[in-house]
Amino acid sequence: MKTVTAPHGMVSAPHALAAKAGRDVLAEGGTAIEACVAVAATLAAVYPHMTGIGGDGFWVIRESDGRVHAIHGCGGAAARADRALYAGLDAVPQRGPLAANTVAGTVSAWEVALADPSCTLPLARLLRDAIAHAENGVAVSAGGAQIAADKGVELRGQPGAYAEVFEPEGRPIREGDLLRQPRLAETLRTLARDGLASFYRGDLARSIAQDLEALGSPVSGADLAAHAATRPAPLSVPIAGARLYNSAPPTQGFASLLILALFDRLKVDAADGFDHVHGLVEATKQAFRLRDVHVGDPAFTDFDFQGLLDDAQALDALAARIDPKQALAWPQPPQWGDTCWFAAADGEGRVVSCIQSTYFEFGSGLVLPQSGITWQNRGSSFRLAKSGWNALKPGRKPFHTLNPALALFEDGRVMAYGTMGGEGQPQTQAALFTRYARFGGDLQAAISAPRWLLGRTWGDVTTSLKLEDGFDESLYAQLARAGHDVERVGPLTATMGHAGAIVRLADGTFEGASDPRSDGAAAGW
């Protein structure tokens, strides 16, 4: 794969059809915001094992005037989702009706984003490709088929329409099968006709609430009606030559920024050697230790995240805790998460970094019979505790691994980058960003090169330091001697996430890249 270049605009997405949908919107005069809505909707039709309109979404947007702002389409726990509902259980179930305990916020984020006066294309146009793919069908990819096969046993027995949609012939969908989602297509048509607010209030909302109640979810029509996307200021931190931006809590954007701020202080001078990999792994440990204590619903913490990122002396002190030769003992409790990152940039200077998720593959496993929506299980991460970090309470927003990254360089470049992959998201962001921005590598090469992962991510259960093949052979032994629990995982693997990046260069042209580990593409015009 080669870095894609273009003069007018760029889209990167983890499925080629979604990238094309966004690119076509740009070519018709749409903004990067509108292109991202088209991408997001299309992913619901062509990549439903990873994302959909029944999940949450986060945006970081750089406007043409240089202003950076954020949108959180993050749903809170239902009013009935309290500890009494889970009496007798040690934890919130990972699948099923009781896992579907939060409002889906993705569509509310689209609505807020499209309220920008620059967005003038009809909603029906933005949802056109998604509707067509859901209605007419799309060929199932090898990755989608593998996930359907792996997860079928735990999902086909869930109440709702999962088996009808994803096992229509009495078996998991296979590579090359035509996946049709006609009820989802009709839901998208309803949104195009009645407006995005109809997801939360009106006839569509009533049908969603009816299905959720019938299937046993605690989410009600009142919960839907009470939901609204929010616009918290993004977090940011300066490093040499750039200022980095990411989403505020309840996401782990803080950890992503902190990793790069600490690594910047280590003054590493070469990519993919011991100092690079060890330095980022150890910076990750320092960042995750703070994340796991403080990051969650901002209403339940008084920790000053931006204050720490602005405090150079505090960052220096954290970086000084990193031993340049020896690994800190690990692990800490890992986090799950399956997501879709995507981005778009337009000729007017907007650059948008987006990420959406239904959390686990196919979310809670509940596919709503009337609307075809796959509902998320993000709230399965809540703790059934009286208080403390991520404790379940009605209205509380769960901890999110999702975090869309953006960088403004002093030389005028603007970069949007991100990935799926739970614990791996901040680590993959750090790997590809440092390869490109600190060490001057090619954008596509920064993504395609072998990666590493500390902890657990998509489809995995161990907490070792996993490394793909392709590094210098001496590196694996060096890391092991330094005390890392090294696990080699073979050639490029989806365990390392599906990353992407786009860069608006200082001259107004564009570069884009996508991950060979995904079904994605970068599409420019």
Side-chain angles (χ1 to χ4, degrees):
M1 298 175 70
K2 295 182 178 179
T3 297
V4 176
T5 61
H8 305 299
M10 184 67 66
V11 174
S12 179
H15 196 288
L17 290 175
K20 179 181 182 298
R23 188 271 315 277
D24 290 349
V25 166
L26 291 179
E28 292 178 26
T31 66
I33 292 170
E34 291 168 310
C36 280
V37 170
V39 170
T42 301
L43 285 170
V46 304
Y47 227 47
H49 52 292
M50 288 297 173
T51 189
I53 62 174
D56 284 345
F58 298 85
W59 296 51
V60 175
I61 303 169
R62 187 264 192 181
E63 297 286 358
S64 55
D65 62 5
R67 180 172 57 96
V68 179
H69 59 103
I71 302 169
H72 286 196
C74 177
R80 293 199 300 116
D82 57 18
R83 293 174 66 223
L85 182 67
Y86 299 90
L89 299 177
D90 294 329
V92 178
Q94 294 181 343
R95 303 285 196 181
L98 293 182
N101 60 8
T102 61
V103 173
T106 283
V107 173
S108 68
W110 299 358
E111 182 182 20
V112 170
L114 291 174
D116 189 288
S118 67
C119 298
T120 59
L121 290 180
L123 184 57
R125 168 62 191 90
L126 303 183
L127 304 186
R128 185 189 71 189
D129 287 13
I131 292 169
H133 290 310
E135 185 82 77
N136 301 325
V138 62
V140 176
S141 69
Q146 186 62 57
I147 290 172
D150 291 345
K151 302 300 178 181
V153 171
E154 64 185 275
L155 293 174
R156 69 175 60 101
Q158 298 299 338
Y162 175 86
E164 178 184 342
V165 175
F166 298 110
E167 298 189 355
E169 297 183 18
R171 56 160 175 79
I173 48 176
R174 296 172 181 164
E175 182 179 2
D177 285 352
L178 201 61
L179 173 63
R180 292 187 173 93
Q181 301 179 75
R183 291 172 187 164
L184 179 63
E186 187 56 37
T187 296
L188 293 170
R189 285 195 189 93
T190 299
L191 291 172
R193 182 187 67 239
D194 297 345
L196 297 174
S198 65
F199 191 96
Y200 303 98
R201 291 166 289 279
D203 291 342
L204 175 59
R206 279 190 286 276
S207 77
I208 291 172
Q210 287 169 1
D211 277 350
L212 288 169
E213 180 180 12
L215 298 177
S217 164
V219 177
S220 69
D223 294 319
L224 293 173
H227 171 78
T230 58
R231 307 201 67 156
L235 300 177
S236 69
V237 68
I239 63 168
R243 177 169 282 273
L244 310 179
Y245 293 84
N246 214 307
S247 51
T251 82
Q252 65 174 337
F254 166 72
S256 295
L257 295 174
L258 187 56
I259 290 168
L260 287 169
L262 298 182
F263 181 78
D264 194 51
R265 287 161 164 77
L266 302 183
K267 306 304 181 187
V268 175
D269 58 8
D272 294 336
F274 176 83
D275 290 344
H276 183 205
V277 177
H278 173 80
L280 280 175
V281 170
E282 295 305 299
T284 296
K285 292 175 181 178
Q286 296 296 328
F288 281 6
R289 291 172 77 178
L290 283 172
R291 179 201 68 178
D292 293 345
V293 173
H294 299 294
V295 174
D297 189 331
F300 290 82
T301 181
D302 57 4
F303 188 83
D304 186 358
F305 298 97
Q306 188 59 59
L308 176 58
L309 295 171
D310 288 338
D311 189 337
Q313 288 186 328
L315 295 177
D316 290 344
L318 282 172
R321 297 180 183 177
I322 295 173
D323 187 324
K325 301 299 181 184
Q326 186 66 34
L328 180 71
W330 205 251
Q332 298 290 313
Q335 303 293 334
W336 285 99
D338 301 322
T339 68
C340 278
W341 175 90
F342 49 97
D346 62 38
E348 294 183 357
R350 295 179 197 84
V351 180
V352 184
S353 184
C354 290
I355 194 162
Q356 298 186 169
S357 176
T358 52
Y359 200 30
F360 285 19
E361 308 95 333
F362 299 105
S364 65
L366 299 191
V367 178
L368 308 190
Q370 295 181 71
S371 61
I373 298 169
T374 300
W375 207 263
Q376 66 182 357
N377 65 329
R378 180 61 60 174
S380 66
S381 68
F382 281 123
R383 295 167 53 247
L384 296 180
K386 291 182 179 180
S387 61
W389 183 82
N390 213 35
L392 176 65
K393 294 182 183 296
R396 186 169 189 170
K397 294 179 179 180
F399 168 79
H400 264 279
T401 52
L402 305 185
N403 65 113
L406 193 81
L408 304 187
F409 292 89
E410 292 174 359
D411 63 10
R413 289 174 294 162
V414 182
M415 180 181 184
Y417 59 104
T419 183
M420 58 164 271
E423 292 277 270
Q425 285 186 44
Q427 301 179 65
T428 291
Q429 287 183 15
L432 72 90
F433 181 82
T434 53
R435 284 168 171 162
Y436 171 79
R438 185 171 186 87
F439 303 123
D442 173 77
L443 189 64
Q444 182 62 58
I447 293 172
S448 298
R451 295 204 290 261
W452 63 88
L453 168 71
L454 174 70
R456 184 175 69 179
T457 187
W458 175 55
D460 191 71
V461 295
T462 61
T463 56
S464 56
L465 176 61
K466 302 165 187 65
L467 295 101
E468 292 177 323
D469 291 345
F471 290 101
D472 187 282
E473 281 299 315
S474 64
L475 175 66
Y476 306 98
Q478 285 179 286
L479 290 168
R481 284 196 298 270
H484 294 283
D485 180 15
V486 172
E487 177 185 353
R488 296 185 66 164
V489 295
L492 302 188
T493 169
T495 297
M496 298 295 167
H498 297 166
I502 59 175
V503 177
R504 184 182 189 272
L505 301 174
D507 65 2
T509 61
F510 302 88
E511 293 183 340
S514 63
D515 203 321
R517 301 164 182 82
S518 75
D519 302 309
W525 77 283

